[in-house]
């Protein structure tokens, strides 16, 4: 563990002025909640929420062979991503283990922005630098160049429209365009981690406070509230979105995680981990060892990461994430379970919560899907 004090985002003083409960997350001092995490969660589902995500790791990859480098370093076909679009992908080790899941934005013909999870930003940066050898491309640590603010929820398009003349109606999901929001230059991305429509705004750190305040004012009449990392976790859990360190790790390949679709074997050139991932794809097709499923509690006790999943007195899996679901009104979990117990509706499954086998129903992911 590092003995360095946690880093603070450009919005740190503002969070404290709002009475936020702060927590050390991946080396950053971040708001966990401002009041009730349930209220924050439901605001995002029904109205809108405002998040500081400045802890995420931005890495610029530029130059004539930027696309070729990213195709070699990552499992996705980044060369096929159009300018102004984004792609969810992963970076794997040579043995196929997941180093991190990423979003890559193509900002220009030879200009890409890779966004890594805060806890893995340095690992991803180091891997990209190492893998850039022999390519005419530059990998640059841009973490200090950006603050990242997200506005998420059904009211978010209206809130943002009042502050920008960018063509939000034409901005597809997983796309981004440069624009001006509340008078400051921003990369406006239609991405998020909540299961709702919404936007992520990349701006210079010195513009973050003014933008946050402008969004707060613009959203006041429709019930926008500031939101912390706690409700971000329950929102992504309901939406069945994996979290690194829980559903994803170096001990799993994308195929183990049920995300083999992000691996593009058909792209040009070799890529790190290809041989191991081809073998993993074959294994997954013939006999997947464990499958990621959803679990919904019949009772009230909360499952937590690491709790055993049981059936007939045998351990058949392990919870990776668990929490109360404000939307469903019941505790929920994601878990890896033996394939024989993975079908939705499978009965006789429980979670061992401190020695008591609490009954759960196996369901398909996601738990929640917004109405289009």
């Amino acid at each position: 563990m590092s003995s360095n004090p946690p880093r603070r985002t450009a919005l740190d003083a503002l969070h404290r002025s709002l009475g936020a409960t702060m927590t050390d997350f991946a080396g950053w001092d971040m708001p966990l909640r401002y009041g009730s995490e349930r209220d924050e969660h439901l605001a995002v589902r029904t109205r809108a929420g405002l998040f500081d995500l400045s802890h995420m790791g931005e890495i610029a990859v530029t130059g004539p062979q930027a696309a070729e480098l990213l195709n070699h370093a990552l499992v996705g076909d980044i060369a096929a991503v159009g300018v102004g679009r984004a792609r969810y992908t992963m970076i794997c080790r040579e043995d196929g283990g997941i180093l991190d899941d990423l979003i890559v934005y193509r900002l220009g013909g030879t200009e890409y922005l890779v966004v890594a999870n805060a806890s893995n930003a340095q690992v991803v940066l180091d891997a990209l630098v190492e893998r850039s050898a022999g390519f005419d491309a530059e990998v640059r640590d841009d973490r200090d160049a950006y603050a990242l603010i997200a506005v998420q929820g059904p009211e978010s398009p209206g809130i943002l429209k009042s502050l920008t003349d960018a063509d939000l109606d034409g901005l597809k999901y997983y796309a981004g365009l440069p624009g001006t929001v509340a008078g400051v230059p921003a990369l406006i991305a239609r991405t998020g981690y909540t299961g709702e429509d919404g936007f992520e705004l990349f701006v210079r750190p010195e513009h973050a406070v003014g933008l946050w305040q402008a969004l707060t004012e613009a959203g006041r009449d429709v019930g926008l509230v500031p939101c912390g990392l706690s409700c971000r976790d329950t929102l992504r859990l309901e939406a069945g979105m994996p979290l690194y360190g829980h559903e994803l790790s170096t001990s799993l390949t994308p195929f183990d995680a049920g995300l083999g679709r992000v691996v593009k074997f058909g792209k040009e050139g070799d890529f790190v981990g290809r041989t191991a991932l081809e073998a993993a794809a074959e294994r997954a097709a013939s006999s997947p060892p464990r499958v990621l499923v959803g679990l919904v509690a019949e009772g009230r006790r909360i499952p937590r990461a690491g709790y055993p999943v049981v059936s007939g007195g045998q351990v058949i899996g392990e919870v990776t994430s668990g929490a109360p679901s404000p939307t469903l009104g019941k505790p929920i979990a994601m878990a890896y379970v033996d394939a024989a117990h993975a079908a939705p509706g499978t009965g006789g499954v429980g979670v061992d919560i401190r020695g008591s086998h609490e009954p759960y129903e196996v369901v398909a992911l996601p738990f929640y899907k917004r109405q289009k």
Side-chain angles (χ1 to χ4, degrees), residues 160-168 177-188 201 203 211:
L160 199 55
K161 276 181 188 176
S162 71
L163 296 173
T164 183
D165 57 5
D167 178 18
L168 298 186
L177 82 166
T180 301
V181 181
V184 302
L187 169 64
I188 305 167
L201 307 171
V203 298
L211 178 57

Side-chain angles (χ1 to χ4, degrees), residues 293-357:
V293 301
L295 299 174
V296 176
E298 294 179 21
R300 309 304 305 171
R301 297 187 71 186
I302 311 299
R304 297 297 183 192
Y307 284 10
V309 181
V310 294
S311 179
Q314 301 295 311
V315 174
I316 59 159
E318 185 176 297
V319 170
T320 53
S321 297
S325 166
T327 304
L328 276 64
K330 299 177 179 180
I332 60 172
M334 286 198 280
Y336 283 107
V337 303
D338 295 346
H341 299 270
T346 298
V349 170
V351 175
D352 184 342
I353 300 181
R354 299 188 186 89
S356 172
H357 291 189

Side-chain angles (χ1 to χ4, degrees), residues 14-15 39-40 45 63-64 95 104 156 175 201 216 297 340 350-351 372:
L14 193 150
H15 297 317
D39 289 349
E40 292 172 22
R45 286 278 178 257
D95 66 2
V104 180
S156 58
L201 307 171
T216 298
V351 175
K372 298 292 184 189

Side-chain angles (χ1 to χ4, degrees), residues 77-96:
D77 188 357
I78 307 305
V81 178
V83 173
R85 297 307 302 266
R87 180 69 48 87
Y88 175 78
T89 187
M90 295 183 182
I91 182 167
C92 290
R93 301 192 306 192
E94 196 67 67
D95 66 2

Side-chain angles (χ1 to χ4, degrees), residues 231-252:
C231 86
R232 180 171 149 91
D233 191 50
T234 53
L235 288 159
R236 70 92 195 166
L237 175 56
E238 287 185 351
M241 294 175 165
L243 177 63
Y244 197 89
H246 289 256
E247 289 72 41
L248 309 175
S249 70
T250 52
S251 64
L252 297 169

